[in-house]
Structures are given as C-alpha cells and as structure tokens.
C-alpha cells in the first residue's frame, strides 16, 4: 500500500513569490495535516483538514492557506514568501477522526528554500 | 508553542548500548507519541501510549508515561547503527493535532 506522497521534493523560490505544495494521503485516510519544520524550531502544526473542511489551524499568518479536495488530497499555499518560510513542509494523514489516538503517517516532505 | 521538550538534545552511544530519551509536556494529553526522523526526511511513527497507560513495549522500544509529572521516556535497547536518527515526542490532545518537541539527535557508533 502506498504511503503519503508529497510533491515536489525540493523547491527554490524568491521572496514575494507564491508556492503550492501537494499531498496525497494514504488510501482510506480522510484527515490531512500540514507541519512546518524550520531549522532550530522543531515541527510546528500548520493546518488540519478532514472531509474537505479546515478543522484547526496553527499559529501562522493568513498567507499560509490550503484546501482539501474530494479525493482527500490536499494543497498548501504560501503567498508572499519570506526568507523565514524556508523549511521542510511535512504532510501527514490519518483515518477519519473518531479517536484522538489515530496515528498520523507522514510523507517525505517538501524542502522549500526561499532566497 | 512547543509542548513536548526532549532531553537530551543530542546523545552519542556505542552500538549495543541502550539509549534513553526523555520528554516533558505542559498540558493535558490524550496520548503521547514518539517518532523517528532520518536525515531531515519524513517522520516514522514508532509508538503511541495513551494517557491511561503507564508503560508500553514494541520490539526493542519501551515507552513510559507519567502523567503526574507530565513526562515520558523512550528506551531503545541493544542499539544499532541504523537507529541513528532524530527522535521526537508528540503530545496528542483532544484537538487532534500533535504538538512536537525539538527532538533528540541520537548517534549510534558502530
């Protein structure tokens, strides 16, 4: 069974540009989570989507946004890129949220570099 | 804000030795999870312990949870060079998001 996939693997952008990252969850998983892992800051929760709806949002500015499609895949959009947005962006998926102990399975991440 | 805080930040041991990593968290949790990350790649789920459990085993892994002290520990027995990675604890709450610590970087020397 395929795991969580993310694209692209690497991305280089310049300040002020916009970027879209993509995530496909494990088949049968309806919840998708986005995390940012910046150097020295650990993993920070960004967004959680379930059944096409945004369920929770971390402490990030509105220029970080996303959506979940009917097939449960998801996009993360970042507008007006800043240097500090350089990070590894990780997507995770889990089964339908009925129990907060549902395990999250992570993709390999997208490495974003902002110059 | 980071809820889980791992200790130590870095650990270097010889192959065959045991490795112990600790984690503290700040608020109420539903569960505490441990993940491994190799060289800045994706995270691999290792083990989950529920808030009403005190100890859990999985292969060479042993996790303990002390909710009164808001702390957890991960023990890797008989370490191997392949265990070299960063290990993160993640606090699972009723809001279904995971709050990660900054991780412990484990180096196992052959």
């Amino acid at each position: 069974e395929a795991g969580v996939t993310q694209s692209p693997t690497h991305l280089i952008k310049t300040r002020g540009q916009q970027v879209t990252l993509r995530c496909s969850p494990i088949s049968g998983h309806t919840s998708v989570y986005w995390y940012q892992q910046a150097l020295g800051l650990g993993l920070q929760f960004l967004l959680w989507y379930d059944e096409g709806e945004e369920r929770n949002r971390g402490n990030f500015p509105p220029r970080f946004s996303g959506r979940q499609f009917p097939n449960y895949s998801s996009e993360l959009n970042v507008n007006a890129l800043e240097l500090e947005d350089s990070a590894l962006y990780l997507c995770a998926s889990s089964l339908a949220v009925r129990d907060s102990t549902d395990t999250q399975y992570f993709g390999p991440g997208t490495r974003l570099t902002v110059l | 804000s980071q809820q889980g805080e791992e200790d130590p930040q870095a650990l270097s041991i010889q192959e065959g030795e045991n490795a112990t990593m600790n984690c503290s968290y700040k608020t109420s949790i539903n569960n505490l999870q441990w993940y491994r990350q190799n060289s800045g790649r994706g995270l691999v789920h290792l083990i989950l312990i529920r808030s009403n459990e005190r100890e859990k085993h999985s292969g060479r892994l042993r996790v303990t949870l002390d909710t009164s002290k808001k702390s957890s520990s991960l023990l890797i027995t008989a370490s191997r060079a392949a265990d070299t990675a960063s290990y993160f604890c993640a606090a699972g709450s009723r809001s279904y998001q995971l709050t990660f610590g900054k991780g412990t970087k484990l180096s196992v020397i052959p």
Side-chain angles (χ1 to χ4, degrees):
Chain A
E1 182 182 297
V4 177
T5 59
Q6 292 185 245
S7 64
T9 305
H10 293 88
L11 207 50
I12 300 175
K13 293 283 188 178
T14 56
R15 285 179 60 190
Q17 285 188 310
Q18 178 265 343
V19 68
T20 297
L21 311 181
R22 295 178 175 82
C23 171
S24 291
I26 291 172
S27 177
H29 286 189
T30 62
S31 275
V32 171
Y33 309 79
W34 287 95
Y35 294 86
Q36 181 197 65
Q37 187 178 26
L39 197 63
L41 292 179
L43 284 97
Q44 307 269 355
F45 168 72
L46 263 167
L47 291 159
W48 167 36
Y49 292 96
D50 182 62
E51 297 283 355
E53 300 281 335
E54 182 180 304
R55 302 294 185 183
N56 201 3
R57 181 183 181 86
N59 188 25
F60 281 84
R63 56 191 187 82
F64 286 83
S65 65
R67 55 180 173 167
Q68 186 178 34
F69 299 97
N71 66 354
Y72 304 114
S73 67
S74 176
E75 283 183 353
L76 173 68
N77 299 292
V78 187
N79 295 321
L81 284 167
E82 300 179 1
L83 295 178
E84 52 264 34
D85 296 334
S86 293
L88 181 68
Y89 289 85
L90 292 164
C91 170
S93 73
S94 71
L95 290 167
V97 176
R98 294 185 178 85
D99 180 337
S100 61
T101 57
D102 283 338
T103 298
Q104 294 183 22
Y105 296 88
F106 283 77
T110 293
R111 173 77 61 187
L112 172 64
T113 301
V114 182
L115 302 176
Chain B
S1 62
Q2 294 292 325
Q3 173 156 222
E5 294 288 339
E6 288 90 345
D7 162 47
Q9 291 186 345
L11 181 61
S12 183
I13 58 174
Q14 296 288 330
E15 202 166 29
E17 293 182 336
N18 296 340
T20 299
M21 288 160 269
N22 302 298
C23 167
S24 60
Y25 57 91
K26 296 177 182 173
T27 60
S28 297
I29 61 170
N30 260 19
N31 62 82
L32 197 291
Q33 303 184 35
W34 285 89
Y35 287 82
R36 185 185 73 218
Q37 185 179 39
N38 290 81
S39 300
R41 299 173 68 182
L43 276 73
V44 174
H45 184 262
L46 294 176
I47 195 166
L48 178 153
I49 185 166
R50 296 172 186 258
S51 58
N52 61 355
E53 297 176 314
R54 292 296 167 257
E55 187 171 313
K56 200 162 184 180
H57 296 255
S58 176
R60 294 185 295 114
L61 305 179
R62 173 179 169 255
V63 169
T64 62
L65 179 64
D66 187 335
T67 52
S68 66
K69 295 181 180 178
K70 291 186 166 57
S71 67
S72 173
S73 68
L74 171 68
L75 168 68
I76 303 174
T77 60
S79 63
R80 306 166 182 168
D83 295 328
T84 294
S86 291
Y87 291 82
F88 295 87
C89 69
S93 68
R94 295 187 188 281
S95 65
Y96 304 107
Q97 71 187 65
L98 293 177
T99 307
F100 286 83
K102 292 186 179 180
T104 292
K105 194 169 184 178
L106 174 65
S107 297
V108 181
I109 303 165

